Structure formats: structure tokens, C-alpha cells
Amino acid sequence: MDIPPLTTARLTLRGPASEDAATYCAFYGDPQASTFYGGPLPPPLAWRKLAFDIGHWTLRGFGMWSVIEKATGTMIGGCGIVWPEGWPRPELTWWIMPCARRNGYAREASQAAIAYGYDVLGWERVETHMRDDNLPARHLVMRLGGDLLTRETFPDGIARDVFTLPRGS
């Protein structure tokens, strides 16, 4: 499947590829960086995360992009909309390497993914959900203009706030 690239002022969002394995291993191997993303994970399980992100596009027609910093050509994270089997709805998600944080990249990439959900996928609502202790994600959602929609217990047994994200945030 051809994954459509997205561009922003400072970023290129392109389909995940095998060349991204080292960045996935570095991110998911870092206990602090990956704490809200199921980590830390050993390299074979980080590779499976990459394989999931690649395969998600074929199975659902949307998914994660690898976030590339235009100035350096370096992969600095992932961002997109995923809907794992058994999960109630699709959600915006992102991760950024620690060395690239606090530069507004997560917001910039998220805005592009949100626009894709509305403008290309034609959705009436783009949403995200996070654990209560994921304060960085909660702050980003507020900067994106997120509105609390509901609180819900997910299939993993964890209650999360569900936010709707506006178009053009």
C-alpha cells in the first residue's frame, strides 16, 4: 500500500519502513521515553511495533507515519491514527524521541494527522485517549484544543479520558 506523505513547515511524515527499526529500538528500549507506550521493550518487540505500524495501513487504510525532521533528515518519532483490533475506536497517537522533545514537533505532526482524519478520511470526529498519569500527552491535547468527551474503561481494564480534537487546531 502506498502511504501518503504529509508535510509541515519543519517535518515530513512518511510511511514507516524497515529503515526505521533502529529508531524504534532506541525509543522502545528507553524505559522513561516509552513508559506510556508499552515499554521498555527488547529489540525484537520494538521491531514488532514497527511491523504493526506498517501493517496497520494495509488492514485499516490509515495508521502511523514516521516523523522526519526536514532540516536533518532524521527520524524523530511517530504520529498517526491507529485502531488496534478490540479497541473501541480509532485514536490519534504520537511518540517523539527524547532528544527532539520540547520543540513543538508532536503538536506539528499531530495537527497534520488530525487534518488527515477530517479532510482525507472524512471523519466527523478525531479523538485521542490517554492514561491519567500521562501528563505530557494531556498538556499537548490541551494545546491542540481538545475537549473532554467522556471517560471510558478500555479493553485493557484501564479507565481513560477521551478527548475530541478540533479541525485546524
Side-chain angles (χ1 to χ4, degrees), residues 16-86:
S18 61
E19 66 208 46
D20 301 335
T23 304
Y24 272 72
C25 287
F27 176 80
Y28 283 102
D30 181 325
Q32 189 174 13
S34 65
T35 190
F36 296 112
Y37 302 92
L41 299 175
L45 293 182
W47 184 90
R48 287 182 191 173
K49 289 279 196 179
L50 172 59
F52 170 89
D53 288 346
I54 293 170
H56 191 283
W57 279 96
T58 298
L59 295 170
R60 298 277 194 204
F62 57 90
M64 293 289 286
W65 287 273
S66 293
V67 177
I68 312 299
E69 185 182 45
K70 284 182 180 179
T72 64
T74 303
M75 181 183 174
I76 59 167
C79 182
I81 303 171
V82 298
W83 190 0
E85 182 62 27

Side-chain angles (χ1 to χ4, degrees), residues 27-28 31-39 93-94 130-137 160:
F27 176 80
Y28 283 102
Q32 189 174 13
S34 65
T35 190
F36 296 112
Y37 302 92
T93 188
W94 62 87
M130 82 254 341
R131 294 168 52 152
D132 293 344
D133 54 348
N134 191 345
L135 297 180
R160 293 173 173 85

Side-chain angles (χ1 to χ4, degrees), residues 100-114:
R101 291 181 180 170
R102 304 202 187 289
N103 290 302
Y105 291 140
R107 182 177 182 180
E108 194 171 324
S110 293
Q111 288 170 324
I114 292 166

Side-chain angles (χ1 to χ4, degrees), residues 133-144:
D133 54 348
N134 191 345
L135 297 180
R138 192 169 294 275
H139 290 145
L140 176 58
V141 167
M142 294 299 104
R143 285 192 302 275
L144 290 168

Side-chain angles (χ1 to χ4, degrees), residues 156-167:
D156 60 2
I158 297 173
R160 293 173 173 85
D161 286 339
V162 177
F163 293 87
T164 185
L165 299 163
R167 176 188 312 262

